[in-house]
Amino acid sequence: MKILSFYLNMPSTVSLYIDGRIVSAVQEERFTRNKNDEIFPKSSIDYCLKEAGITALELDGVAIASNGGAFDDLLVRRSKWSTSDYLKEQKLIWSPYLVEKEERLRSLLEVFPDKVDDEMYPQDYFHNMKNDEGRIKKYNKDREKIVANYLGVNEAKVYRMDHHRCHSHYSYYASPFRNEKVLSFTIDGMGDGLNATIGIYDENGKYERVYETSEANIGRIYRYMTLHLGMKPNEHEFKVMGLAPYGKAKYGQEALDIFNQTLYVDGVEFKWHTKPTDSYYYFKDKLEGIRFDNVAWGLQTWVENLLTTWVKNSIDKFGINKVILSGGVAMNIKAMGEIAKLQEVSDIFVGGSASDESLAIGAGICLAEDMSENWNSKNIHPIENLYLGPKATLKEEKKTIDNLDKLKYIITDTFSSQDIAEHLANGKVLARCADRMEFGQRSLGNRSLLADPKDLRVKETINTMIKNRDFWMPFAPIVMDKYVDKYLVNPKGLVSKYMTIGFDTTAEGYEAMTAACHPADKSARPEMLSKELNPEMYEIMEEFEKITGRGAVLNTSFNLHGYPIVNTPKEAVCVLENSGLDGIILNNYLVLKID
């Protein structure tokens, strides 16, 4: 069975399922180079089909994640918005409607005529529809037709999949849990009218939803508190999470009290003490005068308390202590770490990049289930890794390398893992663009900046040369599997392959990877690496261990600030030429700047 599956909002994403395996998945941003791009994913479609060596006519089905569409959001290209644009939306759309109680809700197209882009595929469709008052409902009906027409397949082959079911199936089939009951939690800003669900997978993988709500406004409130703190919603929530440990309970309690007056958990249900009129102005007014780091502390503490209470109460009610989580809120690794610490949780899995980009993967699995007469979850191969994107050929790499100025670079096609490890141990910062690109928001060794994590000064070096990250933001470590117990406080022996759970570090761990830990609380969001997961990266770390005696390296995404993670050798070289990076590692070449 061959199924191509889509998420057609921000970020637009495509995945391909063949005979029980996810064989590819990629976001369109990696081809367009516009971060979180929401345009129709032509390049991603072409890649997935070409990678598998099939045509669209060979597909048995096509899945679109989410029942609802978002015409106006697509047309104003929200992925390209600035913080000022989000403030304008609040001031001119949501404040008049929600706060001042005006009867008419102004549209995005009315408020942002300068942002409208009707040149997207299908161009005639968007151009002709933008002034139609019924455009949102019509687009929602037309999505199957748009996809079918591009692929050249019968529209009857195209199906919509429920948003939260896609979230849940993604994390379940990416998890190691089978042949036992699993408790599934999804929580996000909103999808198909819901923002939280609880589901149960039985011993055969059959899924039953046991709770759903549209009242769990954690994701939406976190989004607009990101805006309140002067950062970009839908992109910089992780910065708020990184800022929170700098706050102090003594000074942040006032902010926490304000959040506590709103949403709370009663049993397994989300309820309100006081429901805010909106998710921005209500809090903006009440939080005025509270310092930024203490607002972040109060917000993060509130979220952690809500989620841990929800999970604990759900385990008590349903009697299942293995849990999976997905949805945008599950990207909050600090909260996931607090859930992992719960006595009631015996094991936890959070799918890598479990926010909306992963819906495309979940949608393909959902449709495969729906199209199967005798579905057996055991026939689905676990998603063993997230290396689901393109890999450069020797020809592509050679073409790129041939254009380099040989007076500025040392280029070798004969190098070893030991050579790379020695450069890292000697203080160089190298970027790896090799093998298949990772799916999702986090680099996992194949599109990563790598450095020795021992010296805290390397953070400033990396920020100066390329990343330009906020001063409070930590980097992250890749930790070899045999060092997990030495470096991380992990009494349950949890496995976190995709940097999805925050852990406290041991004294030895913090000493060995100081620059890859959070300086305020000494925590880390590790990629726990096994040889099976990524043999080439593991070999580099083995050689680094021989030289330094340490089993971790610093890892951060390989990109220029504000751009998506690199995809191709050409993009890797572009970053090298436009930054202070010391060198790049390709499949067939090692390129170092001449000092």
Side-chain angles (χ1 to χ4, degrees):
M1 185 182 294
K2 300 178 181 66
I3 295 172
L4 193 69
S5 49
F6 294 79
Y7 181 60
L8 294 174
N9 205 327
M10 189 173 77
S12 59
T13 309
V14 180
S15 176
L16 181 61
Y17 167 103
I18 297 180
D19 298 335
R21 292 185 186 273
I22 300 298
V23 298
S24 58
V26 67
Q27 299 114 288
E28 188 70 4
E29 66 164 24
R30 302 299 169 84
F31 301 101
T32 66
R33 309 311 299 160
N34 174 44
K35 194 168 185 178
N36 289 322
D37 209 339
E38 63 274 271
I39 67 169
F40 189 82
K42 291 182 179 181
S43 297
S44 298
I45 295 168
D46 295 345
Y47 160 70
C48 286
L49 295 176
K50 183 179 179 181
E51 175 71 19
I54 64 171
T55 68
L57 296 177
E58 296 176 67
L59 296 171
D60 298 289
V62 178
I64 300 175
S66 295
N67 291 310
F71 184 93
D72 287 10
D73 287 73
L74 293 178
L75 220 59
V76 298
R77 301 301 301 277
R78 194 180 283 270
S79 66
K80 294 185 175 184
W81 278 22
S82 65
T83 301
S84 296
D85 292 322
Y86 279 100
L87 288 169
K88 183 177 179 180
E89 179 189 28
Q90 290 297 319
K91 183 178 180 180
L92 298 184
I93 296 180
W94 295 115
S95 178
Y97 187 70
L98 295 176
V99 181
E100 299 164 23
K101 303 299 181 184
E102 290 185 3
E103 289 187 10
R104 189 175 75 90
L105 177 64
R106 301 177 72 186
S107 76
L108 287 168
L109 305 191
E110 178 184 353
V111 174
F112 294 97
D114 57 317
K115 299 288 182 184
V116 171
D117 178 6
D118 58 2
E119 299 293 316
M120 297 184 296
Y121 176 86
Q123 183 178 345
D124 291 344
Y125 179 88
F126 281 113
H127 180 75
N128 295 333
M129 283 276 285
K130 67 182 179 183
N131 295 318
D132 192 318
E133 290 187 2
R135 62 187 177 273
I136 294 174
K137 288 184 178 179
K138 288 181 180 178
Y139 172 69
N140 197 25
K141 288 182 179 179
D142 290 343
R143 288 188 304 150
E144 289 97 333
K145 184 185 299 183
I146 290 170
V147 169
N149 286 347
Y150 182 80
L151 294 174
V153 302
N154 192 310
E155 188 180 338
K157 279 189 172 185
V158 186
Y159 302 85
R160 303 182 195 199
M161 299 291 114
D162 176 79
H163 186 101
H164 284 268
R165 181 182 170 216
C166 292
H167 270 319
S168 183
H169 270 33
Y170 167 65
S171 271
Y172 178 73
Y173 286 99
S175 79
F177 306 147
R178 296 292 185 277
N179 308 315
E180 57 193 331
K181 288 187 175 181
V182 177
L183 200 55
S184 168
F185 300 88
T186 69
I187 184 158
D188 60 11
M190 188 66 73
D192 288 342
L194 302 174
N195 49 26
T197 71
I198 303 172
I200 295 173
Y201 290 89
D202 69 13
E203 294 85 351
N204 297 312
K206 183 179 179 181
Y207 173 76
E208 178 188 7
R209 186 176 294 173
V210 293
Y211 173 71
E212 61 183 37
T213 186
S214 61
E215 299 297 327
N217 285 16
I218 294 173
R220 189 171 295 273
I221 291 171
Y222 210 103
R223 177 190 304 166
Y224 291 111
M225 290 306 93
T226 300
L227 182 62
H228 171 70
L229 292 170
M231 291 175 269
K232 186 178 176 180
N234 294 314
E235 189 172 324
H236 292 162
E237 283 80 357
F238 75 102
K239 295 186 179 184
V240 178
M241 180 184 66
L243 179 62
Y246 290 95
K248 300 290 188 292
K250 178 180 178 181
Y251 305 109
Q253 186 63 45
E254 184 179 358
L256 178 57
D257 289 343
I258 291 167
F259 292 114
N260 281 339
Q261 290 165 12
T262 59
L263 195 66
Y264 72 101
V265 174
D266 180 11
V268 301
E269 298 183 34
F270 286 94
K271 295 182 178 180
W272 297 99
H273 292 299
T274 299
K275 189 169 184 177
T277 52
D278 72 311
S279 298
Y280 179 71
Y281 287 102
Y282 174 90
F283 294 100
K284 181 178 182 292
D285 293 341
K286 292 179 181 294
L287 294 168
E288 187 174 2
I290 303 176
R291 205 172 75 174
F292 61 96
D293 51 345
N294 295 315
V295 171
W297 179 91
L299 175 66
Q300 180 66 25
T301 302
W302 176 68
V303 169
E304 291 173 5
N305 291 344
L306 285 173
L307 294 180
T308 51
T309 301
W310 188 44
V311 171
K312 178 184 182 300
N313 291 353
S314 299
I315 292 173
D316 290 343
K317 178 173 181 176
F318 299 108
I320 302 169
N321 56 16
K322 288 196 173 182
V323 303
I324 58 173
L325 294 103
S326 52
V329 176
M331 295 291 283
N332 190 308
I333 61 101
K334 299 288 287 185
M336 297 305 102
E338 292 305 308
I339 292 171
K341 292 176 184 177
L342 287 172
Q343 180 180 334
E344 291 80 5
V345 172
S346 65
D347 206 347
I348 178 175
F349 181 86
V350 182
S353 213
S355 51
D356 282 354
E357 59 270 12
S358 64
L359 288 169
I361 297 177
I365 298 172
C366 287
L367 182 55
E369 180 179 30
D370 292 349
M371 293 178 67
S372 301
E373 291 185 10
N374 298 301
W375 177 255
N376 186 339
S377 66
K378 300 177 184 66
N379 293 337
I380 299 294
H381 296 274
I383 303 172
E384 295 174 348
N385 62 65
L386 293 183
Y387 304 115
L388 298 170
K391 175 182 178 179
T393 63
L394 173 59
K395 183 178 179 180
E396 288 175 293
E397 292 189 345
K398 188 176 188 306
K399 181 179 179 181
T400 301
I401 294 303
D402 285 347
N403 291 326
L404 281 174
D405 184 345
K406 305 306 187 291
L407 298 177
K408 295 181 179 179
Y409 300 98
I410 299 171
I411 303 168
T412 178
D413 59 0
T414 55
F415 62 97
S416 66
S417 296
Q418 182 181 353
D419 295 330
I420 296 168
E422 287 177 351
H423 289 305
L424 295 174
N426 289 330
K428 289 192 181 297
V429 179
L430 304 179
R432 188 166 184 262
C433 179
D435 215 322
R436 294 187 70 180
M437 180 177 62
E438 302 91 329
F439 168 81
Q441 297 181 30
R442 290 165 180 158
S443 290
L444 301 169
N446 286 1
R447 300 294 186 278
S448 291
L449 291 179
L450 305 173
D452 186 343
K454 170 73 173 175
D455 190 344
L456 190 58
R457 290 173 295 183
V458 77
K459 284 182 61 179
E460 185 61 31
T461 300
I462 294 174
N463 276 329
T464 300
M465 66 168 51
I466 180 171
K467 294 298 288 186
N468 196 28
R469 285 165 70 101
D470 300 289
F471 68 88
W472 66 84
M473 289 303 297
F475 291 115
I478 302 176
V479 180
M480 297 171 73
D481 47 7
K482 62 183 179 179
Y483 279 84
V484 166
D485 291 338
K486 294 181 181 180
Y487 287 178
L488 304 170
V489 179
N490 185 22
K492 297 177 184 178
L494 304 177
V495 176
S496 181
K497 300 188 291 186
Y498 308 128
M499 303 166 69
T500 54
I501 300 174
F503 290 86
D504 294 327
T505 56
T506 64
E508 181 183 356
Y510 185 70
E511 177 68 21
M513 51 186 193
T514 307
C517 298
H518 199 296
D521 63 9
K522 300 184 179 181
S523 64
R525 53 182 178 96
E527 174 193 352
M528 297 179 183
L529 187 66
S530 65
K531 183 170 285 189
E532 295 74 24
L533 187 63
N534 191 331
E536 292 80 9
M537 187 64 222
Y538 198 88
E539 186 174 300
I540 292 170
M541 296 191 67
E542 285 181 316
E543 294 299 330
F544 185 77
E545 176 198 20
K546 291 176 185 176
I547 298 167
T548 67
R550 298 191 295 279
V553 296
L554 183 148
N555 168 36
T556 189
S557 58
F558 185 6
N559 63 291
L560 288 171
H561 183 69
Y563 287 87
I565 295 168
V566 304
N567 179 1
T568 66
K570 183 177 180 180
E571 292 155 13
V573 166
C574 179
V575 174
L576 178 65
E577 292 181 318
N578 290 280
S579 73
L581 194 62
D582 292 314
I584 57 173
I585 308 157
L586 304 176
N587 292 293
N588 302 285
Y589 298 95
L590 175 62
V591 182
L592 298 173
K593 285 181 178 174
I594 296 174
D595 295 332

